[in-house]
Amino acid sequence: MLPPIIAILSWPVITIALFKSLPLKSALLAGLLWGYLLLPERFSIDFPLVPPVDKRSITVFAILMCLILFRENTRQRGRQPETGSFRETNRAFRFVLFGLIGLLFLSQVMTVLDNRAPLIIGPLMITGLGVRDIISSIVKNIVLIVPFFLAYRFFRTPEDHRFILNSLVLAGLIYAFFILIEARLSPQLNNWVYGYHQHSFAQHIRGGSFRAKVFLQHGLSVGLFILTTVLAAAAMSRNSAYPAPGKWLIACIFLLAILALSRNLGALGLALMFLPLVFLRIGLQVRIAALIAIVFVSYPAARQANLIPLDQISEFTTGISEDRAGSFMFRLHHEDKLMERASEKPLFGWGSWGRNRIYDEQGRDISVTDGLWIIVLGQSGWIGYVSFFGILILPVVMLWRSARKRDIPPETAGIALITAANLIYLVPNSALSPLGWFLSGALAGFLQYRFIALADNDDVSSKNTKLPASSTYTRFPPRPVRT
């Protein structure tokens, strides 16, 4: 048995070893991906005067530390090829993106200033927010956004996106072994390795079988990860220019079977819905992903305006399973109550410490918060909601606009569809992972910068050199240069 504190504190050492032995991008993605998949959940180390250190913060800060320690190697290994360079192509996108990021941090400060008074509900008193909560919110948001910026900085090209999808599929195939163990022997791996269950065991019994949770927070998080790998494998099989595309289709089918064995009905339904989309033409894929992103961010407003056909969805769910339909209606009831609570502080929300939740006259918590959207809306208000989810959806929406002016490779379109599927999954669940931020950041880097290749007889130093607006991605031939 490995003590969780040893696993957490040893991860920076493991990350240093990765950076010393692997190329920059491989080390960076491996440190982020496997830190999320293997480190213990619901465990943190409380150091004096600093926010608690958990698996997400330790992976982020370990990577940042290595980027600083190996900055010379980072410059060498991250240097652009001499056959071209990156050129900024969309300054308006950068302005909006960084505006949303600044608004996110500003909204957290305003939330604290608007909730300094304590809440008294019967015998329960919830303390008001203060300076420490501002610091905690800032650190929390930094941990969330760093994966976004790592992808934005280092994973901009179609080749980088192909590498991301390849790594996700490989990780999914390895994780499938753990899922098969828990599907057969019950979800015990976290208990065997770290000595505790990270979530309720009863919630992971499904129809006489078990829902795997491995080392993630919940079985729903496992479902989201395998859903991501299924779509990644499908996107790789779409690229006929890649060697042996058929093997990716086999991996996709295998991972789909693993997803079915993991007992995640919602994730399986999304996989079956999105798999046909992967094989549509690229422009249509990007358009569908953008429309899903727009619908998602407007979902709370549509709920309040009764524009969502909840009755029809409930009837459809009843046809699948009465238990699922009952769970769906139970969730809707609590979401309505929580939305009424959020409407009392619509701009900046109620903040942390459970101030956004519902309590009875005895001060008992009677609310259930499942979807991430209602959690963010209740805690941060509409300003925080728009800035938080705006950062995630902006690259997907802008990719639609960019598709009118430049070629979108299948790997990039596949990442957009994966991001859209993640957003749908966040409506009933709160399983947003660092991978979700990372994939969105990869799209943002692709939109913000474009690799400009040089011909063999071009001089990089010449100011009069006209660069062909082509990508290094070989699927698309270079466009002729107009003089």
Side-chain angles (χ1 to χ4, degrees):
M1 184 180 298
L2 178 65
I5 189 171
I6 299 299
I8 294 290
L9 295 179
S10 65
W11 193 252
V13 179
I14 296 174
T15 306
I16 291 174
L18 290 173
F19 271 77
K20 291 186 68 175
S21 59
L22 296 176
L24 170 65
K25 294 178 182 180
S26 299
L28 194 155
L29 184 55
L32 183 69
L33 177 60
W34 290 108
Y36 170 68
L37 293 177
L38 297 180
L39 288 179
E41 284 279 5
R42 294 181 179 269
F43 179 86
S44 61
I45 305 172
D46 294 326
F47 292 106
L49 303 177
V50 296
V53 177
D54 59 9
K55 68 183 293 182
R56 286 166 177 79
S57 60
I58 198 66
T59 54
V60 165
F61 290 123
I63 290 173
L64 293 178
M65 176 189 68
C66 287
L67 290 176
I68 295 173
L69 290 176
F70 301 101
R71 57 184 178 273
E72 293 300 327
N73 291 335
T74 297
R75 291 170 183 169
Q76 294 294 329
R77 292 185 288 175
R79 179 181 296 173
Q80 301 306 328
E82 296 180 357
T83 56
S85 62
F86 281 112
R87 298 293 177 84
E88 187 175 22
T89 60
N90 198 336
R91 294 184 179 181
F93 172 77
R94 182 181 64 176
F95 177 80
V96 176
L97 176 63
F98 282 86
L100 288 172
I101 293 171
L103 185 62
L104 176 63
F105 284 95
L106 177 62
S107 69
Q108 299 299 318
V109 176
M110 297 303 298
T111 296
V112 171
L113 296 178
D114 194 37
N115 290 275
R116 302 189 68 181
L119 286 179
I120 300 177
I121 307 171
L124 176 67
M125 187 185 77
I126 303 177
T127 183
L129 305 183
V131 176
R132 184 175 181 180
D133 296 288
I134 294 178
I135 298 174
S136 178
S137 298
I138 291 175
V139 173
K140 179 181 177 181
N141 286 327
I142 290 174
V143 171
L144 287 175
I145 293 177
V146 163
F148 180 96
F149 274 104
L150 291 174
Y152 177 80
R153 168 64 180 84
F154 295 105
F155 294 85
R156 298 169 174 172
T157 68
E159 289 79 8
D160 294 332
H161 295 178
R162 184 185 306 160
F163 175 68
I164 292 173
L165 296 179
N166 193 347
S167 300
L168 287 173
V169 175
L170 178 61
L173 294 174
I174 295 174
Y175 226 59
F177 174 72
F178 300 137
I179 294 173
L180 289 173
I181 292 176
E182 293 203 336
R184 181 65 181 88
L185 302 178
S186 79
Q188 297 278 356
L189 281 174
N190 201 87
N191 186 39
W192 293 339
V193 175
Y194 295 119
Y196 69 98
H197 286 285
Q198 70 272 42
H199 208 281
S200 169
F201 186 86
Q203 289 191 18
H204 294 81
I205 300 175
R206 285 289 184 270
S209 184
F210 301 102
R211 171 188 282 172
K213 51 188 173 70
V214 196
F215 302 109
L216 300 184
Q217 183 174 355
H218 195 280
L220 296 172
S221 300
V222 174
L224 177 59
F225 172 67
I226 299 300
L227 166 64
T228 299
T229 64
V230 168
L231 298 180
M236 290 294 290
S237 70
R238 170 70 187 269
N239 185 6
S240 59
Y242 197 75
K247 69 180 182 181
W248 300 107
L249 188 58
I250 295 174
C252 175
I253 296 172
F254 173 75
L255 290 170
L256 185 64
I258 294 297
L259 181 58
L261 288 175
S262 71
R263 313 294 291 185
N264 281 279
L265 182 61
L268 180 61
L270 284 175
L272 296 176
M273 181 176 71
F274 273 81
L275 277 176
L277 303 181
V278 177
F279 299 97
L280 298 176
R281 58 186 179 87
I282 300 299
L284 190 55
Q285 289 183 48
V286 172
R287 190 178 308 149
I288 292 173
L291 290 174
I292 290 173
I294 294 171
V295 170
F296 170 81
V297 79
S298 59
Y299 176 78
R303 277 287 307 273
Q304 290 181 333
N306 296 320
L307 298 178
I308 307 296
L310 297 177
D311 294 336
Q312 290 81 353
I313 297 175
S314 178
E315 292 177 3
F316 176 76
T317 308
T318 303
I320 298 176
S321 170
E322 292 186 0
D323 290 339
R324 296 292 183 184
S327 175
F328 177 72
M329 296 306 297
F330 177 80
R331 180 180 289 113
L332 291 180
H333 170 75
H334 282 273
E335 286 179 355
D336 290 338
K337 296 295 184 183
L338 289 166
M339 288 182 69
E340 293 177 5
R341 175 69 172 168
S343 64
E344 297 178 21
K345 284 184 176 288
L347 290 180
F348 301 108
W350 289 95
S352 55
W353 301 105
R355 297 167 63 91
N356 61 310
R357 301 177 70 86
I358 309 296
Y359 300 89
D360 62 14
E361 296 179 353
Q362 285 74 40
R364 293 174 298 188
D365 187 353
I366 58 173
S367 57
V368 176
T369 53
D370 288 323
L372 183 63
W373 66 273
I374 191 61
I375 297 173
V376 175
L377 185 62
Q379 292 183 347
S380 303
W382 278 106
I383 303 298
Y385 176 88
V386 170
S387 58
F388 183 91
F389 288 111
I391 298 169
L392 283 172
I393 74 162
L394 180 65
V396 182
V397 176
M398 293 301 295
L399 191 67
W400 180 11
R401 182 175 180 271
S402 180
R404 304 173 185 175
K405 302 178 181 179
R406 63 188 292 191
D407 295 316
I408 306 298
E411 294 88 351
T412 305
I415 289 178
L417 281 178
I418 292 173
T419 303
N422 274 280
L423 292 173
I424 295 178
Y425 203 72
L426 293 179
V427 174
N429 305 304
S430 57
L432 180 62
S433 71
L435 299 180
W437 289 98
F438 187 85
L439 294 176
S440 184
L443 294 178
F446 176 83
L447 288 167
Q448 183 66 43
Y449 296 94
R450 186 171 185 177
F451 184 78
I452 307 298
L454 294 178
D456 292 338
N457 58 348
D458 283 335
D459 183 5
V460 179
S461 61
S462 175
K463 295 182 180 180
N464 296 323
T465 300
K466 293 185 177 181
L467 302 177
S470 63
S471 167
T472 57
Y473 186 63
T474 56
R475 179 179 174 87
F476 305 104
R479 294 177 177 177
V481 181
R482 295 181 180 180
T483 58

